Amino acid sequence: MAQIILWGILIISWLSLFFLKKDSIRRFMPVAIFAALLVTIIEEIGYVYNWWTILGKIFPWEHFITYPLTYGPFLVGTIWIFHFTYDKSFWVYILTNAIIDAFHAFVMLNLFTYFGIYRLNNINNFGLFILIFCLSFVIYPYQIWQDKIMKKVNEDKKGRHFGNRIFKEIYYYRYESCVG
């Protein structure tokens, strides 16, 4: 049963992206990948300190990380959260993250425990909530940084096209005046 739930969570998460604009996916995928990387690191630390045990697996190499949860709803959910909250305000983003992280830590985790997917050992639900919630304060500035980089890249592209047009006009003007 645990494998069916994990496969379902993974597949449904990625299928949900069909309902999102491609521009939002392109814009927020870097922050989602960064967040998933941070969660991967946290899960490895959690394995070392025995914070939890992964019981339900869909891949044989899943000893430290719950790949279906990290690279499914967490990664895709990060894209959705940024899509709906990033351009509104920081506080809307934080409040949304707090609600979703609390739902994960206090509701979903209990369901995962019931279905034999996860078990907490040396950390409680509140500790896990704080751990996940703190990530939202790290990935928000990362997205601001990404936006600045993309803005600069787009400005450079526009400037390059403008410069190419001027070069062509000067070249054709000189060529026509010489040929005559």
Side-chain angles (χ1 to χ4, degrees), residues 101-147:
D101 292 344
F103 179 75
H104 171 74
F106 298 108
V107 176
M108 293 304 296
L109 195 62
N110 291 336
L111 287 172
F112 294 152
T113 302
Y114 176 77
F115 287 111
I117 297 171
Y118 233 75
R119 182 181 66 222
L120 294 180
N121 299 330
N122 293 327
I123 194 171
N124 60 15
N125 293 50
F126 185 73
L128 187 66
F129 164 74
I130 295 298
L131 194 61
I132 295 170
F133 183 60
C134 287
L135 282 178
S136 59
F137 291 96
V138 175
I139 64 176
Y140 193 85
Y142 179 83
Q143 181 59 38
I144 292 171
W145 178 67
Q146 281 291 311
D147 279 350

Side-chain angles (χ1 to χ4, degrees), residues 19-169:
F19 299 103
L20 196 59
K21 295 176 184 176
K22 289 181 183 178
D23 290 339
S24 287
I25 296 170
R26 199 174 298 120
R27 180 179 180 193
F28 299 123
M29 184 60 81
V31 73
I33 292 170
F34 178 63
L37 172 69
L38 292 177
V39 168
T40 302
I41 293 168
I42 288 170
E43 286 182 329
E44 289 190 14
I45 293 169
Y47 176 80
V48 170
Y49 289 106
N50 196 26
W51 288 342
W52 49 72
T53 304
I54 300 169
L55 304 169
K57 304 171 184 178
I58 61 173
F59 302 114
W61 57 83
E62 251 181 292
H63 301 292
F64 312 121
I65 303 160
T66 51
Y67 289 99
L69 299 177
T70 304
Y71 296 100
F74 187 81
L75 189 141
V76 173
T78 301
I79 295 171
W80 278 101
I81 290 170
F82 272 93
H83 170 76
F84 284 117
T85 64
Y86 181 69
D87 290 328
K88 294 188 178 23
S89 83
F90 174 73
W91 299 112
V92 171
Y93 163 79
I94 288 298
L95 181 63
T96 304
N97 261 300
I99 292 168
I100 291 173
D101 292 344
F103 179 75
H104 171 74
F106 298 108
V107 176
M108 293 304 296
L109 195 62
N110 291 336
L111 287 172
F112 294 152
T113 302
Y114 176 77
F115 287 111
I117 297 171
Y118 233 75
R119 182 181 66 222
L120 294 180
N121 299 330
N122 293 327
I123 194 171
N124 60 15
N125 293 50
F126 185 73
L128 187 66
F129 164 74
I130 295 298
L131 194 61
I132 295 170
F133 183 60
C134 287
L135 282 178
S136 59
F137 291 96
V138 175
I139 64 176
Y140 193 85
Y142 179 83
Q143 181 59 38
I144 292 171
W145 178 67
Q146 281 291 311
D147 279 350
K148 286 180 183 175
I149 289 172
M150 288 301 134
K151 183 178 179 182
K152 186 172 190 292
V153 167
N154 289 336
E155 287 173 357
D156 288 348
K157 284 182 180 179
K158 288 178 186 175
R160 202 173 312 133
H161 292 300
F162 179 72
N164 286 344
R165 190 179 77 226
I166 291 174
F167 176 74
K168 287 178 184 175
E169 288 175 8

